[in-house]
Amino acid sequence: MRVLGIETSCDETGVAVYDTDRGLLAHALYSQIALHAEYGGVVPELASRDHVRKLLPLVRQTLAEAGLAASDLDGVAYTAGPGLVGALMVGAAAGRALAWALEVPAVGVHHMEGHLLAPLLEDPSLRPPFVALLVSGGHTQLVEVDGIGAYRLLGETLDDAAGEAFDKTAKLMGLPYPGGPQLAALAETGRPGAFTFSRPMTDRPGLDFSFSGLKTQVLLAWQQSDRSEQTRADIARGFEDAVVETLAIKCRRALEQTGIHTLVVAGGVGANLRLRAMLQAMAEKRGGRVRFPRPAFCTDNGAMIAFAGALRLMAGQHEDAGVHVTPRWDMAALPEVASDRA
Ligand code: ATP
Ligand code: MG
Ligand code: FE
């Protein structure tokens, strides 16, 4: 089955074609970063309008790269939530209309399920049960995955998401939007231990997170410092180490608590090299394994939506002819897919 995947939940237009026999055939991404940079954050209405401009050309480009005509598609998957309502509507309306014209089924995909299943797209031998660490711009969650669609929330952030903490911390030290990746790059030249910040909520039991206090600690350290380039890098390193170690401590705890040996990591912060290295070391030490998508499939992309949609379409799920999106959507509410993968 060949499935077109469409992602428009925020500020990235992503399109891909996934073939359930041959794997990923093509994928393309258009990022709106330059459009939103002067405002220091995503402007929802501008995002919607830019998705309108870019989506269909990107669909044509992706089909051409896959060597397919639209009529070769057997299904369409689009992100139906969570996300910005206007941005979601663009992908949902286009995806639904395309499926209707082609007389193939369409399915609305949960964006976080897309992120969560991205490691399986990369490694088809991966099977539940596993523990997933979802670390993105809007979410920080530990999820026990017992099957496709069988998700049990083990813990989540009580305030800022990990990616949001990276972005806000970068901003308060004057780095341009979007700051997360830039802060991580700056941390490479920072000296470990020059600044030490707390590992929030690791001193008590439980799997929840809290990152907003770290931001305040960084702000104070930055304001009281000489504000030199080296200091900025040192603080970035201290902040990154605090976030990464906190995430690793909670991942280890989640594996111990569930007795599961496989950890998968997904979402934009999963692209962070220090996080990847630390979780790799932790998993090896415990005799388990950790899997990440390639960095480009950690952040938003169409491939994860095509893949998650293909699993659900193969299981017979599809939408009616209406265009529906769900800007706020709990992943635990998803139906379980009874498939031989699970
Ligand atoms: P959500 O998926 O929760 O709706 P989102 O789609 O905006 O949020 P993603 O696209 O998955 O989030 O990830 C973007 C986030 O990842 C940003 O907050 C960004 O700062 C962060 N990020 C990307 N690369 C890195 C990196 N190398 N180190 C740390 N953070 C990173
Ligand atoms: Mg994004
Ligand atoms: Fe995302």
Side-chain angles (χ1 to χ4, degrees):
M1 184 181 214
R2 296 188 195 107
V3 178
L4 180 74
I6 294 173
E7 157 61 36
T8 64
S9 70
C10 189
D11 60 345
E12 254 112 24
T13 317
V15 178
V17 182
Y18 180 79
D19 184 327
T20 50
D21 292 326
R22 293 162 58 207
L24 190 66
L25 300 184
H27 63 98
L29 187 80
Y30 175 79
S31 171
Q32 304 179 352
I33 281 175
L35 176 71
H36 302 290
E38 69 171 293
Y39 304 98
V42 179
V43 184
E45 184 57 22
L46 293 183
S48 312
R49 291 182 201 191
D50 213 40
H51 286 306
V52 170
R53 267 191 294 272
K54 293 298 184 332
L55 181 55
L56 290 181
L58 218 54
V59 169
R60 281 191 205 98
Q61 178 191 327
T62 308
L63 286 172
E65 277 168 25
L68 298 177
S71 57
D72 294 323
L73 295 171
D74 304 302
V76 179
Y78 54 85
T79 303
L84 301 170
V85 64
L88 290 167
M89 283 300 288
V90 177
R96 197 65 203 78
L98 201 56
W100 190 75
L102 296 170
E103 298 185 38
V104 297
V107 67
V109 171
H110 193 292
H111 180 80
M112 295 315 294
E113 179 175 60
H115 276 304
L116 187 149
L117 297 178
L120 277 70
L121 168 67
E122 303 279 52
D123 178 359
S125 75
L126 256 186
R127 276 183 178 61
F130 51 77
V131 169
L133 172 69
L134 294 176
V135 271
S136 59
H139 296 78
T140 300
Q141 298 186 328
L142 274 162
V143 181
E144 181 180 330
V145 179
D146 293 313
I148 309 299
Y151 307 132
R152 196 164 71 85
L153 185 66
L154 300 172
E156 66 183 332
T157 183
L158 305 179
D159 40 60
D160 291 352
E164 186 181 3
F166 263 92
D167 295 334
K168 287 180 174 172
T169 300
K171 194 171 183 172
L172 64 85
M173 287 202 294
L175 295 176
Y177 165 88
Q182 304 218 30
L183 190 79
L186 189 63
E188 287 309 298
T189 55
R191 292 167 296 185
F195 285 84
T196 306
F197 303 109
S198 65
R199 274 65 174 147
M201 297 183 71
T202 53
D203 57 351
R204 68 193 93 164
L207 295 171
D208 286 333
F209 303 90
S210 166
F211 291 112
S212 76
L214 268 182
K215 206 173 46 196
T216 317
Q217 290 178 33
V218 168
L219 181 62
L220 286 175
W222 176 241
Q223 283 175 341
Q224 291 162 5
S225 75
D226 61 4
R227 302 195 193 190
S228 68
E229 270 312 299
Q230 184 59 49
T231 298
R232 188 150 71 165
D234 289 345
I235 293 178
R237 176 65 194 260
F239 169 81
E240 184 181 59
D241 282 343
V243 173
V244 165
E245 198 181 314
T246 301
L247 292 171
I249 290 170
K250 299 280 169 148
C251 284
R252 192 178 60 218
R253 231 180 246 181
L255 293 170
E256 276 161 11
Q257 184 177 310
T258 56
I260 291 173
H261 300 291
T262 304
L263 175 70
V264 312
V265 183
V269 183
N272 186 277
L273 295 177
R274 214 171 292 285
L275 177 67
R276 292 169 90 98
M278 185 158 222
L279 292 179
Q280 190 77 50
M282 185 267 288
E284 269 164 28
K285 205 166 146 201
R286 294 187 77 251
R289 58 177 182 167
V290 58
R291 290 289 178 276
F292 312 86
R294 73 188 81 165
F297 290 172
C298 284
T299 44
D300 292 348
N301 64 88
M304 67 185 195
I305 303 303
F307 178 70
L311 292 182
R312 292 198 167 270
L313 287 167
M314 288 286 276
Q317 286 180 32
H318 54 83
E319 311 296 330
D320 61 29
V323 175
H324 310 286
V325 297
T326 314
R328 286 174 168 274
W329 193 1
D330 181 357
M331 200 163 55
L334 291 174
E336 186 167 348
V337 172
S339 101
D340 58 355
R341 293 189 60 95

